[in-house]
Amino acid sequence: MMVALVQAGTAATSRVTAALQGFGLAARSVRFGERTAMIIDTDSPDVQEAVAGIDGVEKVSVTRDSYPLASRAVIGHDTVVRFGTGAATVEIGGKSPVLIAGPCSVENEDMLLSTARLVADTGGTMLRGGAFKPRTSPYSFQGLGVKALELLALARQKTGLPVVTEVMTPEQVPLVARYADILQIGARNMQNFPLLQEAGQAGRPVLLKRGPGATVQEWLSAAEYVLLQGNPQVILCERGIRTFETSTRHTLDLSSAVLAKELSHLPVIVDPSHATGRRDLVPAMAVAAIAAGLDGVMVEVHPDPDRALSDGPQSLTFESFARMAQTLARVAEAAGRPLEKKPLFAAAS
Ligand code: PEP
Ligand code: MN
């Protein structure tokens, strides 16, 4: 596979197309801001040399990766996912790691608003909360749907925190994109290709969870589906894989998260809640992710975890969340990437 990065909005892309025709080749073109990525199904040195010599062509890479647009070998710099405006601008993959937190599911207004206030006061960057829930059993709570999206919008308005929530089907994408700042693709849907394509066209950043049985290569190839829609705003999220171990819900594959950041230019965050399934293990794994240089963590927190309608055992209490946020702030500082916002209140409050 060959990728030519070409100055967008110039005649350069036409010149490349014409040169490729001479070799009997055609390119798939994807616009990323100032540049157009032209993907060519060849690794011929002759083609590479010819394309590299064309005016307006910045770089031509040959890669064996099945995910050229996600590949660091092709796009040589860290992608910073940026959204919001003015003081409310959020950056993921920039100089500070992000702390994303909230309940597994949006259950009602009170619990969402109290959790959102906690997250805002404790240095959180974003609020999470499920509206459409992918539950193993069809008899389990399936989420409040549109009502939950409205409550997330209310929580955003009251706290200023942007929100991330899962979208489960291609048909739901326009609806969820009206309310959410980031579209979450759940682990079970990592290879739902029509969903990835639709989400890639929604004009919102996409948070792509790794499937519990997916290799790093499959995960990055799934990201490629979104990138190929011309949406460079993808965040990768490691959330545990299935192993022989049954004492934790999944196994947090921290090494693969670090590897994904090496192989790809995309930001990588870690979800220690779904990875461990146990609230006692969440703070240590969150700290490990930040210390490992990853771009943030996403955790579940609930005002009364024992009564949560989903994922109570892995949901932090308010107190343990506040304590964890303090520790994360110190670790991030020590790692030379201080959190954007300092936790406002002390562990005991
Ligand atoms: C979630 O974050 O709400 C969720 C369902 O996670 P996952 O897709 O990783 O299981
Ligand atoms: Mn959950």
Side-chain angles (χ1 to χ4, degrees):
M1 207 85 84
M2 191 175 293
V3 181
L5 295 177
V6 182
Q7 284 165 13
T10 67
T13 49
S14 318
R15 288 195 288 272
V16 173
T17 303
L20 290 174
Q21 271 164 4
F23 291 98
L25 293 167
R28 290 179 77 150
S29 294
V30 186
R31 176 86 181 252
F32 285 142
E34 312 279 275
R35 299 195 292 183
T36 296
M38 300 183 75
I39 305 148
I40 310 145
D41 190 10
T42 180
D43 56 7
S44 151
D46 292 344
V47 176
Q48 184 173 18
E49 197 185 324
V51 174
I54 295 171
D55 196 30
V57 173
E58 291 176 7
K59 181 181 170 194
V60 187
S61 321
V62 175
T63 176
R64 286 177 183 279
D65 294 339
S66 58
Y67 45 85
L69 298 176
S71 170
R72 186 176 284 279
V74 173
I75 314 272
H77 58 83
D78 286 323
T79 284
V80 180
V81 171
R82 203 176 270 112
F83 57 94
T85 48
T89 303
V90 172
E91 282 189 0
I92 306 182
K95 54 187 188 334
S96 293
V98 293
L99 172 57
I100 305 173
C104 177
S105 302
V106 176
E107 299 173 5
N108 58 56
E109 180 172 331
D110 280 356
M111 65 82 71
L112 186 67
L113 292 186
S114 63
T115 309
R117 280 191 205 102
L118 170 83
V119 174
D121 289 348
T122 318
T125 324
M126 284 190 78
L127 178 68
R128 62 147 288 143
F132 298 100
K133 295 303 301 179
R135 302 307 302 281
T136 299
S137 166
Y139 302 109
S140 300
F141 177 59
Q142 302 285 307
L144 296 181
V146 179
K147 176 75 195 154
L149 296 176
E150 288 166 2
L151 292 174
L152 286 167
L154 179 68
R156 188 216 283 113
Q157 188 204 323
K158 295 218 181 261
T159 61
L161 291 175
V163 302
V164 53
T165 194
E166 178 164 352
V167 55
M168 291 214 305
T169 69
E171 297 73 31
Q172 280 169 0
V173 167
L175 171 72
V176 177
R178 272 207 297 283
Y179 292 92
D181 298 279
I182 294 185
L183 300 178
Q184 178 173 325
I185 305 291
R188 292 157 192 78
N189 266 322
M190 187 202 84
Q191 285 185 315
N192 182 337
F193 302 119
L195 175 61
L196 295 172
Q197 286 168 325
E198 195 66 33
Q201 291 170 19
R204 297 267 184 225
V206 172
L207 190 157
L208 178 63
K209 290 220 168 176
R210 179 186 182 188
T215 63
V216 171
Q217 192 251 335
E218 288 162 342
W219 185 22
L220 297 178
S221 301
E224 190 80 5
Y225 273 86
V226 180
L227 298 170
L228 201 48
Q229 304 306 309
N231 182 354
Q233 308 248 94
V234 177
I235 304 134
L236 300 167
C237 179
E238 154 64 26
R239 47 74 74 205
I241 54 172
R242 180 63 52 93
T243 68
F244 58 82
E245 182 56 73
T246 53
S247 46
T248 51
R249 185 177 179 182
H250 294 93
T251 297
L252 176 63
D253 191 5
L254 200 54
S255 55
S256 283
V258 173
L259 177 61
K261 209 165 158 56
E262 264 177 45
L263 296 175
S264 174
H265 53 91
L266 299 172
V268 182
I269 68 167
V270 164
D271 170 351
S273 303
H274 291 90
T276 63
R278 298 174 50 130
R279 81 175 68 98
D280 58 330
L281 302 179
V282 167
M285 294 302 96
V287 164
I290 299 305
L294 296 165
D295 296 300
V297 293
M298 177 159 88
V299 299
E300 290 182 341
V301 51
H302 191 286
D304 188 359
D306 291 339
R307 292 210 176 75
L309 297 182
S310 59
D311 287 350
Q314 69 197 33
S315 298
L316 296 168
T317 61
F318 280 17
E319 200 207 337
S320 58
F321 175 76
R323 207 178 313 126
M324 182 192 77
Q326 299 269 341
T327 310
L328 285 180
R330 285 202 296 273
V331 171
E333 181 108 40
R337 297 175 74 205
L339 296 184
E340 192 103 292
K341 292 190 262 172
K342 288 265 186 308
L344 281 185
F345 54 80
S349 62

